[in-house]
Amino acid sequence: MNRKRAVAVVVAVAGLALAASYLLPEPAPERTAPAATALGWRAGIVLLGGDGIAGNTAGDGAQARFSDPWGVAIDTGGSLYVADAGDNNRIVRRWLDGRFHLLAGGAEGFADGTGAAAAFNTPSGLALDRHGNLYVADTGNHAIRKVSPRGEVSTVAGNGTAGAVDGRGARAQFNGPMGVAVDDQGRIYVADTWNDRIRVIETDGRVRTLAGGDRPGHADGRGAVARFDTPTDLKLDAHGTLWVADLGNDAIRGVSPAGVVSTRIGGPGGERVLWGPMALAVTHDGVLYVAERLGGRVVQVSPGGHRVAIAGDEPSARFARPAGIALAPDGSVLLSDADGYRLHHLTPVPDAGAPSRAAVGPAPDNPLPRNQGRWPLAPQQGWHEVVGTLGEVRGNFRGESRHHLHSGLDIRGDVGQRVLAIADAKVSSPVATWSLDGQAEGLSLDSLDYLHIKVGREAGNRPLDARFQFSYDEAGQLARVRVRRGTRFAAGDALGTINRQAHVHLAVGPTGYERNAVRLGFTGYADHYPPQIDAIALLDAADQPLRERSDGRLRVPREAGGLQLVVEAWDQVDHNLPRRRLGLYALGYQILDAHGRALPGYEAPRMNIEFNRMPPQNEAVKLAYAADSGITVHGSARTRFRYVLTNTVRDGTLASGLWQPSELPPGDYTLRIIARDYSGNEAVAGRDLPIRLI
């Protein structure tokens, strides 16, 4: 019997060792000094966990689901730790068997204890000490927590109340700390995010401020002279320098042990080289890896300041919100994508190979917010006029009528009218508000964005409630409205008031993954109108329409070169004003012979334009829309939608294209346009263009 047990133990150990190789390579031969970090490498993307759908399960790889995977850390034995916030509020561990297991937490609250008896509120950054203890920036509890290897949770500092107080243990106060790091002596460094400070917890439990002042800003210098703006993560290098992801300044800052702050890269006033640095890792030789909130990239920064994106820079493979980053012992990169509900392993690809890519971002079938028919305006269960849809052409108020694609649904309202939450939600972003007093001012609640509102305030800048933090400049003027990560709102709560744009813009999903908000199913919304086609044109290389006709057919020279197919069309929805023109959801074309039969290759329409997922690239608008689209006359209420059907804008990808008439023999044909709205209505009138190839 003892022999059988011994054999079983040997088999189990061997199995765990094999499983570990999934994440880490076989140990390299021992050497006196680590190899220099390779620069400029490209990453293959391997999925470690999550299937792009928000949830709360453990298990193998894609069977595990997360709500808001944020901080990540890995120990020397290959165990991966993940802070899963959102509705889960737990710490999970990926052990050598490749499965995710609960280590601690699982309910929102503030309680010490072991395993599931403990409670967190929006855990964010993680760090390991040399004894294997895990430290957690417990953002919603304004505290720093410690988790032993056995899952025993204790509170190191903070008491659940926001503040900016130095002191020992529970007498100290933080304001939504998001980042944490530990040095070899056991000192704990904290990115005290909404205090815009860097704090230190000494080994005796005393908390002191290392750097940062009374208000957000950007200034180098010692101690309180320095200024940060929403620092979210920090890491120590081999020389004791603390590197800080200074999110609001688009910068990476260095803090010396004496509290002297300097800027390594980025910052206001110059060229924007980083787009929202939110998390970082540092190698033994000073190379940084930076996860960008806005860019969706992971960027490598050399000690000399050279930058290269190792992953996420391709539009079809950008991360939704890369939130946590850690280095594996072999130098590869571990990444959490909070808005993609996934964990990834980024590994170097040989120069001769193309990077492998696992699925990234949220899954297309990730559940939508549960709005139960509510609109963002009162009455929430009554009808409101829709004045803009996903994918429409938009200008920039400076003469460019094709500046960007519209990313959501516009609902008309009165200036000053209260904007209401359509579903229960929790703030996940560390920068949940933007553009104070700008026309695009907005608030992000989980997967929903509300734009064109005065966030958190009534007319005259009166605050709605204490969830909105008002910051003032030295002259006493309102400079910022902040909402902390982890703040909860219930359906029907007031979020702000409509600004001078006189409508609410509602967007669903992170940038590059926006989904059509019509899918939410608003009470009283209906669309029984088929789209209207006003014109069909073929444009030559000079963007001039072909005009010559014979026998009612447009004459098309076969050797004229590639042509653009441009269709002007628009839609309406029930109960809207008759003048209100809206964009379409999908457009394509077929080529029919003289008898009305589809030619080979055109049996199914070529649906090149489909606004099922918004592309993040700025040039998408000029591929989807021809010149003279948008509001082309100042003060006009009419928007022209002139779609280029020979280009491709769908599934988050872009491609330009032309129709080559030389591919067909001379004769009579028909170009048939397929124009659909999101409700499935399809244009019939005006859809055919008879042509004669000569």
Side-chain angles (χ1 to χ4, degrees):
M1 187 68 176
N2 289 338
R3 182 178 179 182
K4 290 183 179 179
R5 288 178 179 173
V7 170
V9 169
V10 171
V11 171
V13 170
L16 291 178
L18 287 172
S21 66
Y22 175 75
L23 180 59
L24 301 176
E26 294 183 6
E30 186 175 347
R31 51 182 173 236
T32 57
T37 301
L39 299 178
W41 57 276
R42 292 290 296 173
I45 302 173
V46 178
L47 182 69
L48 286 182
D51 61 355
I53 295 178
N56 184 1
T57 58
D60 294 323
Q63 295 177 357
R65 286 183 172 174
F66 307 94
S67 177
D68 183 17
W70 205 271
V72 290
I74 187 169
D75 64 22
T76 55
S79 290
L80 174 66
Y81 300 84
V82 183
D84 185 21
D87 290 330
N88 292 348
N89 297 289
R90 62 182 181 169
I91 308 300
V92 296
R93 176 170 57 190
R94 184 183 184 275
W95 186 231
L96 299 183
D97 59 3
R99 293 175 58 85
F100 290 91
H101 303 263
L102 176 70
L103 178 63
E108 189 163 295
F110 192 6
D112 291 343
T114 300
F120 298 91
N121 185 347
T122 320
S124 298
L126 299 178
L128 285 158
D129 68 12
R130 58 191 179 93
H131 303 292
N133 297 303
L134 186 71
Y135 293 86
V136 183
D138 195 3
T139 305
N141 283 323
H142 313 289
I144 304 302
R145 317 288 294 283
K146 176 183 174 182
V147 187
S148 76
R150 299 177 59 184
E152 300 161 332
V153 178
S154 58
T155 300
V156 178
N159 56 26
T161 302
V165 178
D166 288 343
R168 194 182 304 274
R171 290 192 292 273
Q173 289 183 330
F174 303 92
N175 191 353
M178 285 191 59
V180 63
V182 187
D183 68 15
D184 289 340
Q185 287 71 46
R187 284 185 292 263
I188 305 167
Y189 298 84
V190 180
D192 194 3
T193 304
W194 286 278
N195 277 329
D196 303 291
R197 292 179 169 100
I198 306 303
R199 315 281 290 282
V200 181
I201 306 174
E202 300 288 355
T203 54
D204 62 0
R206 179 174 55 92
V207 178
R208 64 183 177 89
T209 299
L210 179 63
D214 292 336
R215 57 175 56 90
H218 182 272
D220 291 341
R222 183 185 297 272
V225 172
R227 290 289 184 272
F228 297 91
D229 188 341
T230 322
T232 51
D233 196 17
L234 35 74
K235 293 292 192 301
L236 282 159
D237 71 11
H239 305 289
T241 298
L242 190 68
W243 295 105
V244 180
D246 194 4
L247 177 63
N249 283 318
D250 292 317
I252 303 298
R253 318 284 295 282
V255 186
S256 75
V260 178
V261 178
S262 59
T263 300
R264 175 165 177 179
I265 187 171
E271 178 189 0
R272 193 175 194 178
V273 295
L274 293 174
W275 292 80
M278 192 155 66
L280 54 82
V282 59
T283 69
H284 66 91
D285 49 358
V287 175
L288 295 175
Y289 292 95
V290 182
E292 294 180 321
R293 183 182 74 95
L294 295 176
R297 308 181 301 172
V298 175
V299 178
Q300 185 192 62
V301 182
S302 74
H306 178 71
R307 306 172 304 280
V308 61
I310 66 167
D313 55 327
E314 298 177 44
S316 61
R318 74 188 305 274
F319 301 108
R321 183 184 288 161
I325 193 168
L327 292 178
D330 69 336
S332 59
V333 174
L334 307 171
L335 179 75
S336 64
D337 188 4
D339 279 358
Y341 315 107
R342 303 181 195 261
L343 303 171
H344 298 289
H345 187 195
L346 309 183
T347 59
V349 174
D351 292 339
S356 58
R357 274 204 321 241
V360 298
D365 54 348
N366 183 53
L368 292 163
R370 299 175 182 174
N371 67 309
Q372 299 178 325
R374 299 183 193 92
W375 296 78
L377 301 172
Q380 288 198 278
Q381 296 292 351
W383 176 85
H384 295 271
E385 186 176 17
V386 171
V387 296
T389 58
L390 190 78
E392 292 185 0
V393 58
R394 288 290 185 270
N396 63 358
F397 303 98
R398 294 187 297 274
E400 173 56 74
S401 65
R402 294 183 298 160
H403 181 261
H404 63 277
L405 292 175
H406 192 244
S407 62
L409 192 74
D410 287 345
I411 299 107
R412 192 192 67 80
D414 297 327
V415 175
Q417 184 176 357
R418 281 194 170 191
V419 177
L420 310 174
I422 66 171
D424 296 347
K426 184 177 182 179
V427 173
S428 55
S429 173
V431 183
T433 66
W434 55 86
S435 301
L436 181 72
D437 283 331
Q439 62 91 15
E441 183 178 355
L443 169 67
S444 179
L445 298 184
D446 199 4
S447 62
L448 288 169
D449 288 351
Y450 301 77
L451 282 79
H452 306 312
I453 69 175
K454 294 169 69 72
V455 174
R457 58 202 194 279
E458 305 271 16
N461 288 339
R462 295 190 303 274
L464 288 172
D465 61 58
R467 289 174 291 191
F468 302 95
Q469 296 181 289
F470 284 24
S471 297
Y472 298 89
D473 60 21
E474 295 180 357
Q477 299 297 309
L478 182 64
R480 190 171 307 186
V481 177
R482 282 171 151 175
V483 183
R484 297 186 193 97
R485 169 170 157 80
T487 303
R488 285 196 178 273
F489 289 84
D493 283 357
L495 307 178
T497 52
I498 294 178
N499 68 14
R500 59 187 179 275
Q501 290 298 106
H503 67 265
V504 182
H505 174 101
L506 192 65
V508 184
T511 300
Y513 295 93
E514 293 96 338
R515 300 159 72 185
N516 200 313
V518 172
R519 295 182 60 186
L520 292 167
F522 299 98
T523 299
Y525 175 87
D527 180 3
H528 295 96
Y529 290 90
Q532 174 75 41
I533 296 176
D534 283 348
I536 306 171
L538 288 171
L539 306 187
D540 62 20
D543 289 336
Q544 296 302 307
L546 304 183
R547 300 185 183 278
E548 186 177 351
R549 291 180 177 269
S550 62
D551 299 327
R553 292 183 176 273
L554 183 69
R555 292 170 60 86
V556 180
R558 293 178 61 251
E559 306 305 326
L563 302 174
Q564 288 186 344
L565 175 58
V566 175
V567 176
E568 183 165 357
W570 49 278
D571 190 34
Q572 287 185 307
V573 299
D574 295 13
H575 310 304
N576 267 14
L577 293 174
R579 66 177 176 82
R580 190 75 67 194
R581 295 189 172 192
L582 302 174
L584 276 61
Y585 173 68
L587 297 100
Y589 69 99
Q590 289 176 294
I591 301 180
L592 312 179
D593 64 18
H595 303 287
R597 296 173 301 212
L599 296 182
Y602 290 93
E603 295 87 352
R606 297 188 178 183
M607 303 300 293
N608 290 340
I609 306 291
E610 184 174 345
F611 296 113
N612 57 345
R613 173 184 159 190
M614 293 302 297
Q617 309 97 310
N618 291 332
E619 64 268 25
V621 65
K622 292 186 178 179
L623 285 176
Y625 292 95
D628 295 329
S629 294
I631 297 177
T632 56
V633 179
H634 180 71
S636 172
R638 178 186 175 190
T639 303
R640 297 185 69 190
F641 302 107
R642 302 184 68 240
Y643 300 94
V644 185
L645 272 58
T646 41
N647 290 340
T648 299
V649 179
R650 60 173 299 158
D651 303 320
T653 61
L654 306 178
S656 58
L658 297 170
W659 177 54
Q660 301 291 342
S662 60
E663 296 176 354
L664 298 176
D668 291 345
Y669 300 90
T670 298
L671 281 172
R672 172 162 291 176
I673 306 304
I674 292 82
R676 297 174 183 150
D677 60 30
Y678 192 80
S679 298
N681 302 303
E682 190 170 307
V684 175
R687 66 178 180 176
D688 290 341
L689 175 65
I691 63 173
R692 176 167 292 166
L693 297 186
I694 57 174

